[in-house]
Every structure is written in C-alpha cells, then in structure tokens.
Amino acid sequence: MKTPKDPRHIARQEIVKELFAESFTKQPSHAKVVKLIISNLEKIDNIISTIAPEFPIDKINKVDLAILRLGVYEITIDKTQPKKVIIDEAVELAKEFGGDTSASFINGALGKL
C-alpha cells in the first residue's frame, strides 16, 4: 500500500514542484524527468488540449497543469508504470497540492487518455 513516505510519491511531489516553478520562470532543472517533460512540452500540451478541450492550457490552474503534464508524460512517453497507478498518483497529488475540484479534474482528464 502506498504511503506518504513512498519514495516514488516523494519523487513525483518534487517533479510537480519543479514543473510548477517552471511555469513562472525558466530555471535550470536538476531532475532528469523534468528536463524530459520540458523537452516534450509541445506534445504533452497538445495531448492535454485534446483530453480537456474545454480548458485552454493558459487557463488551467498552474498546479493542476504541472500534475497533468507529469501524468501525460508518464502515460504516453515514459510508460514504465501501469496507467491506473499513474492516474491514482496524479489524483493524490491533486488532493495534496490542488484546489477542491483538482482531483476530479485530473482524474477525468487522465481517464480520457
């Protein structure tokens, strides 16, 4: 069972924090995954636009966008974890960092993938 101290969960928390910070200012990233996400940002954002067409990228809450970018990257590019695990982790991150509706938004969007 996953716990808040699970190293994979902690790593995802750090990735979301870096992606969130990146949305405000371009900074050198230390995490390899963040660099890969940023290098694939156009592809990832196009997928997000497809799965959440009612929300333009620039209107999505920046925390939710960081979580979505990580989830889309893991599902479509990385592909090392089962989709259900990735979606569950993204929902947990949304509950932790996002607003009241973040978890359901993230779950719905990634569920369409």
mmCIF file of all heavy atoms in Angstrom, residues 10-33:
data_model
loop_
_atom_site.group_PDB
_atom_site.id
_atom_site.type_symbol
_atom_site.label_atom_id
_atom_site.label_comp_id
_atom_site.label_asym_id
_atom_site.label_seq_id
_atom_site.Cartn_x
_atom_site.Cartn_y
_atom_site.Cartn_z
ATOM 1 N N ILE A 10 7.235 10.746 -3.208
ATOM 2 C CA ILE A 10 8.071 11.907 -2.878
ATOM 3 C C ILE A 10 8.751 12.437 -4.139
ATOM 4 O O ILE A 10 8.816 13.655 -4.360
ATOM 5 C CB ILE A 10 9.104 11.545 -1.786
ATOM 6 C CG1 ILE A 10 8.364 11.265 -0.467
ATOM 7 C CG2 ILE A 10 10.141 12.644 -1.616
ATOM 8 C CD1 ILE A 10 9.219 10.658 0.622
ATOM 9 N N ALA A 11 9.228 11.548 -4.997
ATOM 10 C CA ALA A 11 9.861 11.979 -6.253
ATOM 11 C C ALA A 11 8.858 12.718 -7.135
ATOM 12 O O ALA A 11 9.181 13.754 -7.729
ATOM 13 C CB ALA A 11 10.432 10.773 -6.994
ATOM 14 N N ARG A 12 7.630 12.204 -7.212
ATOM 15 C CA ARG A 12 6.595 12.881 -8.006
ATOM 16 C C ARG A 12 6.255 14.248 -7.414
ATOM 17 O O ARG A 12 6.017 15.198 -8.149
ATOM 18 C CB ARG A 12 5.346 12.017 -8.104
ATOM 19 C CG ARG A 12 5.488 10.870 -9.087
ATOM 20 C CD ARG A 12 4.171 10.111 -9.233
ATOM 21 N NE ARG A 12 4.248 9.103 -10.266
ATOM 22 C CZ ARG A 12 4.338 7.797 -10.027
ATOM 23 N NH1 ARG A 12 4.366 7.338 -8.790
ATOM 24 N NH2 ARG A 12 4.386 6.947 -11.035
ATOM 25 N N GLN A 13 6.238 14.358 -6.093
ATOM 26 C CA GLN A 13 5.986 15.651 -5.454
ATOM 27 C C GLN A 13 7.045 16.673 -5.892
ATOM 28 O O GLN A 13 6.710 17.811 -6.218
ATOM 29 C CB GLN A 13 6.020 15.523 -3.929
ATOM 30 C CG GLN A 13 4.840 14.831 -3.328
ATOM 31 C CD GLN A 13 5.016 14.630 -1.828
ATOM 32 O OE1 GLN A 13 6.123 14.371 -1.346
ATOM 33 N NE2 GLN A 13 3.922 14.744 -1.096
ATOM 34 N N GLU A 14 8.287 16.256 -5.893
ATOM 35 C CA GLU A 14 9.373 17.158 -6.280
ATOM 36 C C GLU A 14 9.270 17.558 -7.751
ATOM 37 O O GLU A 14 9.525 18.705 -8.114
ATOM 38 C CB GLU A 14 10.737 16.523 -5.981
ATOM 39 C CG GLU A 14 11.012 16.374 -4.497
ATOM 40 C CD GLU A 14 10.894 17.661 -3.719
ATOM 41 O OE1 GLU A 14 11.440 18.693 -4.170
ATOM 42 O OE2 GLU A 14 10.232 17.654 -2.660
ATOM 43 N N ILE A 15 8.885 16.618 -8.599
ATOM 44 C CA ILE A 15 8.724 16.915 -10.027
ATOM 45 C C ILE A 15 7.611 17.940 -10.221
ATOM 46 O O ILE A 15 7.772 18.904 -10.969
ATOM 47 C CB ILE A 15 8.446 15.624 -10.829
ATOM 48 C CG1 ILE A 15 9.687 14.736 -10.823
ATOM 49 C CG2 ILE A 15 8.002 15.946 -12.255
ATOM 50 C CD1 ILE A 15 9.441 13.314 -11.302
ATOM 51 N N VAL A 16 6.498 17.745 -9.521
ATOM 52 C CA VAL A 16 5.377 18.696 -9.634
ATOM 53 C C VAL A 16 5.821 20.079 -9.155
ATOM 54 O O VAL A 16 5.509 21.087 -9.781
ATOM 55 C CB VAL A 16 4.134 18.196 -8.859
ATOM 56 C CG1 VAL A 16 3.094 19.293 -8.704
ATOM 57 C CG2 VAL A 16 3.536 16.994 -9.566
ATOM 58 N N LYS A 17 6.571 20.136 -8.075
ATOM 59 C CA LYS A 17 7.060 21.424 -7.561
ATOM 60 C C LYS A 17 7.945 22.118 -8.588
ATOM 61 O O LYS A 17 7.829 23.328 -8.813
ATOM 62 C CB LYS A 17 7.826 21.227 -6.252
ATOM 63 C CG LYS A 17 6.940 20.869 -5.081
ATOM 64 C CD LYS A 17 7.780 20.595 -3.843
ATOM 65 C CE LYS A 17 6.948 20.082 -2.693
ATOM 66 N NZ LYS A 17 7.777 19.748 -1.519
ATOM 67 N N GLU A 18 8.844 21.367 -9.222
ATOM 68 C CA GLU A 18 9.721 21.959 -10.240
ATOM 69 C C GLU A 18 8.939 22.414 -11.468
ATOM 70 O O GLU A 18 9.201 23.477 -12.017
ATOM 71 C CB GLU A 18 10.820 20.973 -10.654
ATOM 72 C CG GLU A 18 11.961 20.906 -9.671
ATOM 73 C CD GLU A 18 13.182 20.231 -10.248
ATOM 74 O OE1 GLU A 18 13.616 20.573 -11.374
ATOM 75 O OE2 GLU A 18 13.714 19.339 -9.560
ATOM 76 N N LEU A 19 7.973 21.601 -11.910
ATOM 77 C CA LEU A 19 7.158 21.995 -13.061
ATOM 78 C C LEU A 19 6.312 23.224 -12.736
ATOM 79 O O LEU A 19 6.135 24.098 -13.585
ATOM 80 C CB LEU A 19 6.251 20.839 -13.496
ATOM 81 C CG LEU A 19 6.948 19.671 -14.176
ATOM 82 C CD1 LEU A 19 5.978 18.504 -14.350
ATOM 83 C CD2 LEU A 19 7.524 20.089 -15.516
ATOM 84 N N PHE A 20 5.810 23.295 -11.515
ATOM 85 C CA PHE A 20 5.037 24.456 -11.083
ATOM 86 C C PHE A 20 5.918 25.709 -11.114
ATOM 87 O O PHE A 20 5.524 26.739 -11.651
ATOM 88 C CB PHE A 20 4.475 24.219 -9.682
ATOM 89 C CG PHE A 20 3.722 25.387 -9.118
ATOM 90 C CD1 PHE A 20 2.456 25.701 -9.577
ATOM 91 C CD2 PHE A 20 4.277 26.170 -8.123
ATOM 92 C CE1 PHE A 20 1.755 26.776 -9.058
ATOM 93 C CE2 PHE A 20 3.584 27.243 -7.591
ATOM 94 C CZ PHE A 20 2.315 27.554 -8.062
ATOM 95 N N ALA A 21 7.110 25.613 -10.555
ATOM 96 C CA ALA A 21 8.034 26.751 -10.544
ATOM 97 C C ALA A 21 8.412 27.154 -11.972
ATOM 98 O O ALA A 21 8.509 28.346 -12.291
ATOM 99 C CB ALA A 21 9.285 26.409 -9.737
ATOM 100 N N GLU A 22 8.585 26.167 -12.831
ATOM 101 C CA GLU A 22 8.951 26.413 -14.230
ATOM 102 C C GLU A 22 7.867 27.204 -14.953
ATOM 103 O O GLU A 22 8.154 27.958 -15.882
ATOM 104 C CB GLU A 22 9.185 25.073 -14.935
ATOM 105 C CG GLU A 22 9.495 25.147 -16.394
ATOM 106 C CD GLU A 22 10.878 25.687 -16.706
ATOM 107 O OE1 GLU A 22 11.776 25.596 -15.839
ATOM 108 O OE2 GLU A 22 11.069 26.212 -17.820
ATOM 109 N N SER A 23 6.622 27.081 -14.535
ATOM 110 C CA SER A 23 5.535 27.798 -15.201
ATOM 111 C C SER A 23 5.592 29.297 -14.938
ATOM 112 O O SER A 23 4.962 30.068 -15.640
ATOM 113 C CB SER A 23 4.172 27.224 -14.790
ATOM 114 O OG SER A 23 3.913 27.469 -13.434
ATOM 115 N N PHE A 24 6.361 29.717 -13.944
ATOM 116 C CA PHE A 24 6.506 31.141 -13.646
ATOM 117 C C PHE A 24 7.805 31.722 -14.189
ATOM 118 O O PHE A 24 7.811 32.803 -14.747
ATOM 119 C CB PHE A 24 6.443 31.383 -12.129
ATOM 120 C CG PHE A 24 5.088 31.104 -11.560
ATOM 121 C CD1 PHE A 24 4.827 29.931 -10.886
ATOM 122 C CD2 PHE A 24 4.057 32.015 -11.722
ATOM 123 C CE1 PHE A 24 3.569 29.666 -10.370
ATOM 124 C CE2 PHE A 24 2.792 31.766 -11.213
ATOM 125 C CZ PHE A 24 2.554 30.594 -10.538
ATOM 126 N N THR A 25 8.888 30.999 -14.010
ATOM 127 C CA THR A 25 10.185 31.464 -14.506
ATOM 128 C C THR A 25 10.973 30.281 -15.023
ATOM 129 O O THR A 25 10.934 29.192 -14.443
ATOM 130 C CB THR A 25 11.020 32.136 -13.394
ATOM 131 O OG1 THR A 25 11.218 31.200 -12.333
ATOM 132 C CG2 THR A 25 10.360 33.381 -12.850
ATOM 133 N N LYS A 26 11.676 30.490 -16.099
ATOM 134 C CA LYS A 26 12.510 29.431 -16.655
ATOM 135 C C LYS A 26 13.739 29.288 -15.768
ATOM 136 O O LYS A 26 14.468 30.236 -15.534
ATOM 137 C CB LYS A 26 12.942 29.757 -18.096
ATOM 138 C CG LYS A 26 11.770 30.060 -19.008
ATOM 139 C CD LYS A 26 10.845 28.883 -19.144
ATOM 140 C CE LYS A 26 9.665 29.213 -20.016
ATOM 141 N NZ LYS A 26 8.422 28.662 -19.572
ATOM 142 N N GLN A 27 13.922 28.082 -15.241
ATOM 143 C CA GLN A 27 15.034 27.834 -14.339
ATOM 144 C C GLN A 27 15.737 26.549 -14.745
ATOM 145 O O GLN A 27 15.111 25.672 -15.324
ATOM 146 C CB GLN A 27 14.538 27.645 -12.909
ATOM 147 C CG GLN A 27 13.297 28.360 -12.576
ATOM 148 C CD GLN A 27 12.858 28.094 -11.146
ATOM 149 O OE1 GLN A 27 13.598 27.623 -10.315
ATOM 150 N NE2 GLN A 27 11.624 28.408 -10.883
ATOM 151 N N PRO A 28 17.004 26.452 -14.425
ATOM 152 C CA PRO A 28 17.664 25.174 -14.712
ATOM 153 C C PRO A 28 17.090 24.087 -13.807
ATOM 154 O O PRO A 28 16.896 24.299 -12.623
ATOM 155 C CB PRO A 28 19.131 25.440 -14.386
ATOM 156 C CG PRO A 28 19.134 26.638 -13.512
ATOM 157 C CD PRO A 28 17.892 27.416 -13.824
ATOM 158 N N SER A 29 16.758 22.972 -14.407
ATOM 159 C CA SER A 29 16.175 21.875 -13.649
ATOM 160 C C SER A 29 17.244 20.851 -13.333
ATOM 161 O O SER A 29 18.142 20.594 -14.129
ATOM 162 C CB SER A 29 15.067 21.217 -14.464
ATOM 163 O OG SER A 29 14.605 20.095 -13.785
ATOM 164 N N HIS A 30 17.112 20.275 -12.174
ATOM 165 C CA HIS A 30 18.074 19.253 -11.768
ATOM 166 C C HIS A 30 17.559 17.847 -12.043
ATOM 167 O O HIS A 30 18.327 16.926 -12.209
ATOM 168 C CB HIS A 30 18.410 19.409 -10.284
ATOM 169 C CG HIS A 30 18.956 20.766 -9.961
ATOM 170 N ND1 HIS A 30 20.157 21.229 -10.432
ATOM 171 C CD2 HIS A 30 18.437 21.777 -9.247
ATOM 172 C CE1 HIS A 30 20.364 22.446 -10.009
ATOM 173 N NE2 HIS A 30 19.330 22.818 -9.285
ATOM 174 N N ALA A 31 16.254 17.699 -12.099
ATOM 175 C CA ALA A 31 15.664 16.379 -12.284
ATOM 176 C C ALA A 31 15.618 16.015 -13.770
ATOM 177 O O ALA A 31 15.151 16.792 -14.595
ATOM 178 C CB ALA A 31 14.260 16.338 -11.694
ATOM 179 N N LYS A 32 16.091 14.824 -14.079
ATOM 180 C CA LYS A 32 16.097 14.340 -15.460
ATOM 181 C C LYS A 32 14.685 14.290 -16.027
ATOM 182 O O LYS A 32 14.454 14.663 -17.174
ATOM 183 C CB LYS A 32 16.744 12.958 -15.508
ATOM 184 C CG LYS A 32 16.792 12.344 -16.871
ATOM 185 C CD LYS A 32 17.381 10.947 -16.838
ATOM 186 C CE LYS A 32 17.312 10.315 -18.207
ATOM 187 N NZ LYS A 32 17.713 8.915 -18.184
ATOM 188 N N VAL A 33 13.729 13.847 -15.217
ATOM 189 C CA VAL A 33 12.344 13.732 -15.677
ATOM 190 C C VAL A 33 11.780 15.095 -16.044
ATOM 191 O O VAL A 33 11.094 15.242 -17.053
ATOM 192 C CB VAL A 33 11.463 13.046 -14.599
ATOM 193 C CG1 VAL A 33 10.003 13.077 -14.986
ATOM 194 C CG2 VAL A 33 11.923 11.625 -14.361
#
